[in-house]
Amino acid sequence: MAQYNLTDNVQDSFTFKLGELEYSFRYPTTREMRELSAMNQELEKLAKEKASEKAIKKASEASEEKMNQLVTPVGHEHSIGEVLEDQPINVVRNFRAMMAKEINLG
């Protein structure tokens, strides 16, 4: 009979750098992923329905805040959300691509 240990060699987080600032990203739980997915689906729905800019911004900020809760500064106090605000768009694109790759369930 086969026996698997699904937690062997599995990391619960990874680190990344943004310039000189280091961060730790904690992989979300299944429950957190469902919440994030629901928030993103709501945001897409609002955009598709051409909801008010205020409603879209509110939903977008809530989704970003939830995602940013998974990112912890290492050795400093600069939140990832604040730091990303001042980065060139290609850095933000790289950040989003990294997040998409790391939380891909495929």
Side-chain angles (χ1 to χ4, degrees), residues 58-70:
K58 183 178 178 181
S60 177
E61 288 174 350
S63 178
E64 283 184 31
E65 182 179 327
K66 183 76 171 169
M67 187 68 156
N68 290 346
Q69 289 174 357
L70 301 172

Side-chain angles (χ1 to χ4, degrees), residues 36-46:
L36 284 164
S37 180
M39 293 174 95
N40 288 331
Q41 287 174 359
E42 178 64 23
L43 183 57
E44 289 176 13
K45 179 182 170 189
L46 289 171

Side-chain angles (χ1 to χ4, degrees), residues 14-56:
F14 67 90
T15 60
F16 64 93
K17 283 193 170 189
L18 192 54
E20 294 299 314
L21 301 175
E22 186 173 353
Y23 292 90
S24 175
F25 177 83
R26 178 182 58 78
Y27 288 106
T29 64
T30 302
R31 181 174 287 116
E32 288 169 322
M33 279 302 298
R34 273 195 301 268
E35 292 171 7
L36 284 164
S37 180
M39 293 174 95
N40 288 331
Q41 287 174 359
E42 178 64 23
L43 183 57
E44 289 176 13
K45 179 182 170 189
L46 289 171
K48 189 175 184 178
E49 294 173 350
K50 297 186 177 17
S52 72
E53 186 176 319
K54 185 177 179 179
I56 292 172

Side-chain angles (χ1 to χ4, degrees), residues 71-87:
V71 181
T72 304
V74 176
H76 60 88
E77 298 295 322
H78 304 284
S79 74
I80 190 65
E82 290 176 14
V83 172
L84 286 173
E85 284 290 320
D86 296 323
Q87 297 299 311

